[in-house]
Amino acid sequence: MRRSLLAQVLADPSRLVRLGPHEWDLLLRQARWSDLLPRLAELAPPQSTGPSVVPAAVRPHLEAARALQRAQREDVERELVLLDEVLRPIGAPVLLLKGAAYLLDHAPAALGRTLTDVDILVPREALSAVESALLLAGWHTSHPDPHDQRYYRRWMHELPPMVHGRRGTVLDVHHAILPLTSRLQSDTQALLDASNALPSRPLFRVPCREDQVLHGLTHLLVNEDLRHGLRDLSDADRMLRHLLDQDPQATRLLERARTLGLTAPLRQGWALAHELLDTPLPAPVRHALRARASAANPMGGAIEAVCHHAWRQALDTHHPSVAGAHCAAARALLFVRAHTLRLPLHLLVPHLSVKAWRRLVQPPS
Amino acid sequence: MNTLAAWSAAEVRDRLASPHGLRLQTGPFSFAIRSPVREVADGLALHYRHHPVGEDPQASGFSDFHLAIGRPWGLRRFWRPQVEFRLDGQRPFEPLPGHQGYALLEWGLNWTISSHAHRFVILHAAVLARGDRALLMPAPSGSGKSTLCAALSLRGWRLLSDELALLDPVDGRLHGLARPVSLKNASIEAIRRFEPGAPIGPSVADTAKGRVAYLSPPADAVAQVRHPVRAAWVVLPRYQPGAPTEHRMLSRAEGFMELQRQTFNYDLHGLVAFKALGDAVAGCRVEALRYRDLDEAVAVCETLARPAGSA
């Protein structure tokens, strides 16, 4: 199956020196669509005193992407200063997740990483105190509707996204990494136990590198919104390569996945990264991952193969140059699957009915 | 490179309808534009005659941005059809009534540049040049900036932009686009009275901003668009009928504050923008201009531009 130019370049950045103007045109558009332009800017060969391999017309776009990412990084750091003041009195640890974690941890996935909101996880017992503190500090919920509130609180694993009244920043407060109703369950306390405090701001903790990649892949594979699919997969690719450099048999990662019950997403995600982004997948690691699968559920293997094919379609960039009818079908399949993973049927049907009704009844914004 | 004037109206329409679109250069940016909408073709043919265009219909090459003005699918395609703007397939705004296709293209170009061209510090300001010095007019909508900009462009000031000032933070120079000047409502008549032969295109009614028309950029403005210039004057205009035209000097700090207020991507650039605006205004004379009459306003600007020592 053909890969987009963007996926090919992410898999092998040395291709950048051989691109012609038309390819650069396509590449920038795919990257912009998939929120990967800043990462591309970091992967592009730096400008030297000699003739640059990046055409002059392309350079302003990469510069603009770098400026954007710098600004986002500063925004997050500033946001954490303010959140520190608000949350420290509560006394509970605050675990950063995803983009914010990568950036503050200087993880391999931090390179050119864009982020639009800050994800934090707090222990369930502290959730109420955290929410009150945020409300007092000028945050408010982005979903005032009671149905949405129930959806997020009772069934998902987070508060509805909170928005700061003045700054406009968005905060996702989680208390577990997966929905409470999900078939896959995971251990929040284990995540906290293996986390590391930020040296400069010890209230905030980041998951260990293994947990970062496990959480990233798990979240990717249960998420129905795949706009950032390729970016998230690229994050995993960068993290996995780094972990393999340190531990060529990925022993720690495999063990950790077993402990957290996340071997399945690791297996599925790694296979996808291997196929789309050429992430190394050493044979012993592949066997170790497969061994768990067949022990668990033989029928599951067939379903996994179908899902893998759908994922393969849906994770590559959705830019119009690549996406086609088959891609839309794959995304539809995964959309349904994501919902069934999140909610059991007796909750899913009413939830989707409410959403559909709303779309019919409410005027377009 | 050819200019758009080299093509007939039919060729312009064909290029716009082709898969690679019509490739147009405005200042530092190249746009690949696709559209089946008649008003878009007519508007481009009228107002962008002097702009360079990409030659080969088969060659795609590199374009900074790919735009499309199309008709959205669905019932509205047939009943009171609409037009929509897409930047590379993504649709940032709601569709507009069908006859507003050309205005939508102009708004789309503005939005694209101000949202993406972060190589520059981008201000909501008009920019015109006299020799190698620029007059920078930052102002909110409704202040009379565009009308005054149009008038100045008809009195020998080189038009760089009526809406978007592109300040390069590296060398402090302002880069031009030399695109058509947008005129709204009463401004359209005001410019016609000011200059009866002014090349103003057809009016589009009932837009969100009222009636809108565009004044073509002068040929020499387009020809010299790749010569950026440093600001020498910052003028804060305000149209106020009934009050006498007057101007007063402001401090550079006041000039800086207005520039900062009108900067689209100030937050993104942070300290870089602070320094760039500071440096730009440091070499400028800053004036507030309240005017009731275009001739009087133009005369004030001429006075400012006169070399020091003359009356």
Side-chain angles (χ1 to χ4, degrees):
Chain A
M1 200 183 304
R2 282 191 55 210
R3 293 188 289 188
S4 66
L5 179 60
L6 177 59
Q8 291 176 49
V9 166
L10 287 171
D12 178 17
S14 74
R15 280 205 54 168
L16 287 170
V17 306
R18 300 189 294 275
L19 296 180
H22 170 59
E23 289 170 297
W24 270 111
D25 180 288
L26 189 60
L27 181 62
L28 288 188
R29 291 157 64 198
Q30 291 180 353
R32 187 174 278 127
W33 187 285
S34 296
D35 248 343
L36 279 164
L37 195 52
R39 181 159 291 166
L40 194 67
E42 297 302 322
L43 293 173
Q47 225 173 313
S48 51
T49 49
S52 175
V53 293
V54 177
V58 173
R59 273 181 251 144
H61 292 270
L62 301 184
E63 246 177 78
R66 284 190 204 103
L68 181 69
Q69 208 253 330
R70 256 193 313 267
Q72 283 183 346
R73 208 166 50 230
E74 282 178 19
D75 277 351
V76 173
E77 284 165 6
R78 196 179 308 125
E79 205 60 37
L80 288 183
V81 170
L82 298 164
L83 278 173
D84 197 355
E85 286 171 21
V86 172
L87 297 179
R88 203 166 350 112
I90 300 173
V94 177
L95 187 68
L96 297 175
L97 296 172
K98 295 156 73 188
Y102 304 149
L103 283 181
L104 273 301
D105 191 34
H106 308 288
L111 189 80
R113 180 54 150 84
T114 56
L115 68 170
T116 45
D117 47 23
V118 176
D119 285 84
I120 60 174
L121 182 145
V122 300
R124 192 143 185 223
E125 353 25 293
L127 193 64
S128 182
V130 164
E131 194 181 358
S132 305
L134 290 171
L135 288 169
L136 282 172
W139 294 85
H140 60 85
T141 185
S142 58
H143 286 72
D145 182 272
H147 174 83
D148 288 333
Q149 288 282 324
R150 267 200 304 280
Y151 173 79
Y152 278 102
R153 290 170 190 274
R154 263 173 55 194
W155 303 337
M156 293 303 107
H157 51 305
E158 52 190 291
L159 297 179
M162 303 201 72
V163 181
H164 192 269
R166 208 168 15 89
R167 294 193 298 275
T169 40
V170 179
L171 183 65
D172 284 333
V173 184
H174 304 251
H175 57 82
I177 39 172
L178 288 169
L180 289 173
T181 51
S182 163
R183 274 183 266 150
L184 269 179
Q185 278 306 312
S186 194
D187 188 349
T188 305
Q189 192 54 48
L191 223 68
L192 282 164
D193 289 342
S195 65
N196 304 301
L198 286 184
S200 52
R201 213 162 283 287
L203 172 70
F204 297 105
R205 309 184 68 86
V206 287
C208 64
R209 294 281 164 88
E210 287 79 13
D211 288 357
Q212 286 177 25
V213 73
L214 288 171
H215 175 249
L217 284 175
T218 306
H219 192 261
L220 173 64
L221 295 173
V222 301
N223 201 357
E224 78 260 20
D225 180 1
L226 293 175
R227 261 173 311 158
H228 291 131
L230 187 59
R231 184 196 67 183
D232 293 351
L233 193 68
S234 171
D235 291 341
D237 166 62
R238 295 191 59 79
M239 300 292 286
L240 288 169
R241 287 174 193 259
H242 167 79
L243 287 172
L244 280 174
D245 276 343
Q246 297 184 326
D247 180 7
Q249 302 287 311
T251 322
R252 274 198 308 275
L253 180 61
L254 290 170
E255 185 52 47
R256 190 63 180 162
R258 234 188 318 271
T259 308
L260 295 180
L262 295 177
T263 308
L266 179 63
R267 177 180 58 249
Q268 292 158 14
W270 203 328
L272 288 160
H274 175 67
E275 198 172 320
L276 260 177
L277 300 175
D278 292 350
T279 315
L281 179 50
V285 174
R286 190 181 322 143
H287 292 145
L289 288 168
R290 283 249 187 83
R292 297 284 304 170
S294 37
N297 179 2
M299 182 54 189
I303 298 180
E304 224 177 88
V306 171
C307 281
H308 175 89
H309 187 80
W311 278 115
R312 169 66 186 76
Q313 302 271 13
L315 282 178
D316 205 343
T317 180
H318 299 168
H319 185 261
S321 62
V322 170
H326 54 283
C327 182
R331 271 165 35 215
L333 172 75
L334 292 170
F335 182 87
V336 171
R337 178 164 174 71
H339 273 85
T340 60
L341 281 174
R342 292 174 153 224
L343 287 178
L345 215 58
H346 72 276
L347 292 176
L348 178 63
V349 172
H351 169 68
L352 290 177
S353 309
V354 171
K355 282 178 78 167
W357 172 251
R358 240 193 242 153
R359 228 172 287 136
L360 271 176
V361 167
Q362 277 178 359
S365 53
Chain B
M1 222 180 179
N2 248 352
T3 61
L4 192 62
W7 295 340
S8 67
E11 275 178 285
V12 170
R13 285 198 294 276
D14 286 343
R15 297 290 176 123
L16 284 169
S18 72
H20 293 312
L22 183 154
R23 284 173 23 246
L24 182 73
Q25 186 83 26
T26 85
F29 307 115
S30 58
F31 293 98
I33 305 172
R34 285 169 42 226
S35 181
V37 175
R38 183 62 186 255
E39 288 85 1
V40 171
D42 292 347
L44 283 171
L46 177 64
H47 294 301
Y48 287 84
R49 304 165 26 83
H50 308 291
H51 281 70
V53 287
E55 279 302 335
D56 185 349
Q58 302 310 317
S60 41
F62 179 87
S63 299
D64 288 304
F65 302 104
H66 290 247
L67 311 181
I69 303 284
R71 301 202 186 284
W73 281 97
L75 287 174
R76 294 300 295 271
R77 199 170 175 88
F78 307 103
W79 172 68
R80 294 187 32 200
Q82 298 173 307
V83 279
E84 64 176 12
F85 167 80
R86 285 186 185 267
L87 169 61
D88 201 17
Q90 290 183 326
R91 200 178 79 169
F93 348 113
E94 291 297 314
L96 291 180
H99 65 290
Q100 296 180 19
Y102 177 68
L104 182 56
L105 174 67
E106 290 289 336
W107 291 328
L109 288 166
N110 288 345
W111 178 85
T112 300
I113 295 170
S114 59
S115 307
H116 293 90
H118 300 304
R119 168 197 161 197
F120 297 109
V121 174
I122 307 172
L123 294 93
H124 187 219
V127 189
L128 302 111
R130 184 50 75 77
D132 61 357
R133 296 185 297 165
L135 167 64
L136 183 55
M137 290 200 289
S141 296
S143 51
K145 152 178 70 55
S146 294
T147 319
L148 181 52
C149 174
L152 289 166
S153 78
L154 292 164
R155 289 288 182 269
W157 288 78
R158 172 163 75 96
L159 173 72
L160 276 79
S161 182
D162 68 322
E163 274 286 314
L164 298 174
L166 306 172
L167 176 63
D168 187 341
V170 173
D171 65 10
R173 293 188 296 174
L174 291 157
H175 290 244
L177 296 165
R179 279 174 47 215
V181 178
S182 75
L183 299 170
K184 297 184 271 284
N185 302 314
S187 301
I188 305 173
E189 301 317 318
I191 293 294
R192 282 217 174 92
R193 278 195 310 272
F194 179 78
E195 181 68 41
I200 302 176
S203 297
V204 178
D206 304 323
T207 75
K209 305 185 182 208
R211 214 159 33 96
V212 169
Y214 291 89
L215 171 71
S216 290
D220 58 292
V222 181
Q224 295 173 60
V225 77
R226 300 311 292 262
H227 297 134
V229 283
R230 276 207 183 76
W233 312 284
V234 175
V235 170
L236 279 47
R238 192 152 59 91
Y239 173 64
Q240 196 158 352
T245 297
E246 64 178 30
H247 65 104
R248 60 188 174 90
M249 204 159 110
L250 299 177
S251 68
R252 293 201 181 91
E254 286 169 293
F256 176 92
M257 290 309 296
E258 187 60 26
L259 290 177
Q260 190 262 315
R261 259 194 292 272
Q262 299 306 327
T263 302
F264 287 106
N265 55 2
Y266 191 84
D267 283 348
L268 185 141
H269 283 296
L271 192 58
V272 166
F274 179 83
K275 288 191 175 134
L277 295 181
D279 289 345
V281 83
C284 286
R285 179 173 169 154
V286 184
E287 295 263 334
L289 167 62
R290 192 183 65 196
Y291 74 96
R292 62 177 172 193
D293 174 275
L294 284 171
D295 287 289
E296 291 174 0
V298 170
V300 169
C301 294
E302 287 299 335
T303 320
L304 291 178
R306 226 167 278 150
S310 37

